[in-house]
């Protein structure tokens, strides 16, 4: 196949994604600033953090904060978790009124509190309930509905093909398969063969997810396993360039070079937008993990990361970032940090 043919739009129901890369929903991470960076570096669709259908129906203020998005992010997907079809349908109606492009249903979250309520990955154990949830959400939505699922509950019950079929029959416009069971957690297991099986069983698009941390793996999922699109999660933490690198690979181009200056600019932009979106207090706290991710692997970043974790004002964080990158550029960071 011509490499160029790999980079093309994908249709999910009535929505056209301009490319085949999706930025994964990640609670506590995939807020507006994170998504903007992902989008600008090549993600064709971004997904907001999961929202509790029950909380949304109760109109909880915190939930509405999670739902903030901007026009430039389109197409944007917002994800609901819940187990009650009626609440999920009502919440989907709210998301549609809110103007989202795609409504996504969480069938993969492994967190104990969520699965105990019958939501997230617990739905993989209850295919009839899963189908009822999809049917209710599809019935209430005027946007395409997608499902993000796992391979199954555990290695002994890998039923993704059956659940995906049930979701398609219930009206889902696409399925995203995180190629791990709930039991696999976020570990090294990658059950990619299952992606091919799900793809062969469905006529709606299949989005492959799980462990995509190089352009080569993304290309493999699109070519060898026939995925229509791929979704990247943790490899994008502090690294929006993963999307540009994958897109380059799809076009047959070499990956873009990420200079320390590009890293500095992206980090400062992320921080600046976080302050605008969340306010300084929350932004500085939310940014601590992002800072560590952006600096990961850079020369002598350890001390800088530690020092930044203790700062409380955005101005101090900016100054510390600038100072670190200045030292990095001057090749002096090691001695300065030893002295600190
Ligand atoms: C911090 C974090 C938060 C996550 N939150 C969600 C979420 O809200 N909804 C969801 O469907 N998946 C969530 N996930 C799972 C990811 O979307 C993705 O399926 C998983 O990380 C596997 O992809 P990866 O190997 O590329 O990271 C989360 C993962 C992480 C690491």
């Amino acid at each position: 196949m011509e490499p160029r043919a790999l980079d093309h739009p994908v249709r999910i129901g009535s929505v056209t994604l301009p490319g085949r890369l999706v930025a994964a929903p990640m609670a506590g991470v995939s807020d507006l600033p994170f998504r903007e960076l992902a989008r600008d570096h090549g993600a064709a669709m971004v997904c907001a953090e999961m929202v509790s259908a029950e909380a949304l129906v109760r109109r909880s203020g915190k939930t509405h904060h999670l739902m903030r998005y901007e026009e430039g992010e389109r197409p944007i997907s917002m994800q609901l978790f819940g187990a009650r079809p009626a609440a999920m349908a009502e919440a989907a109606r709210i998301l549609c009124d809110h103007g989202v492009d795609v409504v996504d249903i969480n069938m993969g979250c492994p967190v104990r509190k969520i699965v105990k309520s019958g939501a997230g990955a617990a739905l993989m154990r209850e295919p009839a309930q899963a189908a009822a949830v999809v049917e209710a959400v599809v019935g209430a939505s005027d946007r395409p509905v997608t499902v993000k699922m796992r391979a199954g509950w555990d290695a002994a019950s890998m039923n993704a093909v059956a659940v995906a079929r049930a979701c398609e029959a219930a009206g889902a416009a696409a399925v995203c398969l995180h190629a791990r069971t709930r039991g696999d957690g976020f570990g090294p297991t990658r059950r990619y063969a299952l992606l091919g099986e799900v793809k062969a069983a469905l006529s709606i698009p299949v989005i492959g997810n799980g462990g995509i941390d190089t352009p080569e793996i993304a290309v493999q999922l699109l070519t060898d396993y026939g995925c229509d699109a791929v979704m990247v999660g943790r490899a994008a933490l502090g690294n929006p360039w993963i999307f540009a690198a994958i897109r380059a690979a799809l076009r047959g181009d070499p990956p873009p070079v990420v200079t320390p200056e590009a890293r500095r600019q992206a980090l400062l932009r992320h921080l600046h937008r976080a302050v605008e979106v969340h306010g300084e207090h929350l932004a500085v706290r939310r940014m601590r993990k992002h800072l560590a991710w952006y600096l990961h692997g850079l020369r002598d970043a350890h001390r800088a990361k530690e020092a930044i974790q203790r700062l409380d004002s955005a101005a101090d964080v900016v100054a510390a970032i600038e100072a670190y990158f200045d030292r990095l550029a001057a090749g002096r960071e090691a001695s300065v940090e030893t002295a600190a």
Side-chain angles (χ1 to χ4, degrees):
M1 190 186 289
E2 276 292 304
R4 259 167 216 289
L6 290 177
D7 193 18
H8 58 68
V10 181
R11 281 187 70 89
I12 295 185
S14 56
V15 171
T16 301
L17 277 52
R20 304 174 79 185
L21 304 185
V22 181
M26 287 187 278
V29 174
S30 58
D31 56 4
L32 177 47
F34 176 89
R35 298 193 306 261
E36 281 176 346
L37 277 147
R39 191 87 170 86
D40 288 356
H41 286 82
M45 182 167 77
V46 291
C47 304
E49 306 168 61
M50 65 180 183
V51 169
S52 157
E54 302 287 348
L56 191 52
V57 168
R58 288 196 309 271
R59 311 254 166 195
S60 143
K62 182 167 174 262
T63 299
H64 277 269
H65 187 68
L66 291 176
M67 288 163 55
R68 181 168 166 190
Y69 72 95
E70 292 199 349
E71 287 303 313
E73 293 189 72
R74 292 190 187 283
I76 181 160
S77 163
M78 282 200 189
Q79 187 189 61
L80 296 171
F81 70 92
R84 285 198 311 121
M88 289 290 276
E90 177 59 23
R93 233 172 259 125
I94 296 171
L95 286 190
C96 291
D97 289 348
H98 188 54
V100 305
D101 297 295
V102 171
V103 176
D104 187 43
I105 299 172
N106 184 317
M107 292 193 193
C109 183
V111 173
R112 196 175 308 273
K113 190 175 141 200
I114 291 184
V115 295
K116 254 176 70 180
S117 72
L123 286 168
M124 298 300 297
R125 286 200 293 194
E126 306 289 344
Q129 180 74 6
V133 165
V134 176
E135 206 173 305
V137 171
V138 168
S141 303
D142 57 10
R143 310 294 152 97
V145 172
T146 56
V147 177
K148 184 163 175 287
M149 63 174 61
R150 288 220 174 212
W153 180 256
D154 56 24
S157 58
M158 290 214 288
N159 58 353
V161 171
V163 175
R165 272 207 184 106
C167 291
E168 178 175 38
V175 162
C176 173
L177 175 61
H178 177 185
R180 299 184 175 102
T181 65
R182 192 258 184 179
D184 295 332
F186 296 93
T189 309
R190 298 167 177 180
R191 302 180 188 274
Y192 290 156
L194 201 55
L195 286 168
E197 290 177 38
V198 169
K199 174 64 190 167
L202 303 188
S203 48
I204 54 174
V206 173
I207 303 168
N209 168 243
I212 301 173
D213 52 13
T214 63
E216 291 71 29
I217 296 178
V219 169
Q220 187 191 12
L221 263 54
L222 295 169
T223 53
D224 299 357
Y225 299 101
C227 291
D228 298 279
V230 287
M231 176 185 279
V232 177
R234 287 163 298 167
L237 300 176
N239 183 27
W241 302 278
I242 184 74
F243 297 107
I246 295 173
R247 284 203 77 178
L250 298 187
R251 291 192 305 262
D253 294 337
V257 174
V258 184
T259 62
E261 187 51 29
R263 212 166 274 275
R264 180 204 315 238
Q265 293 306 330
L267 178 46
L268 290 175
R269 175 182 167 200
H270 199 149
L271 173 65
H272 176 71
R273 288 295 284 142
V275 170
E276 284 179 351
V277 169
H278 300 298
E280 182 172 3
H281 182 81
L282 186 56
V284 168
R285 276 146 193 83
R286 277 184 80 108
M287 281 305 291
R288 285 179 182 154
K289 53 185 184 285
H290 292 284
L291 281 155
W293 290 326
Y294 276 100
L295 298 186
H296 181 76
L298 291 186
R299 202 153 18 109
D300 291 312
H302 185 67
R303 290 277 191 89
K305 278 194 270 188
E306 258 182 32
I308 291 171
Q309 303 301 315
R310 290 193 293 270
L311 301 176
D312 285 325
S313 87
D316 286 348
V317 175
V318 169
I321 294 168
E322 297 281 24
Y324 171 74
F325 279 98
D326 286 349
R327 293 198 300 269
L328 190 65
R332 286 188 288 112
E333 73 295 336
S335 53
V336 173
E337 288 195 24
T338 312

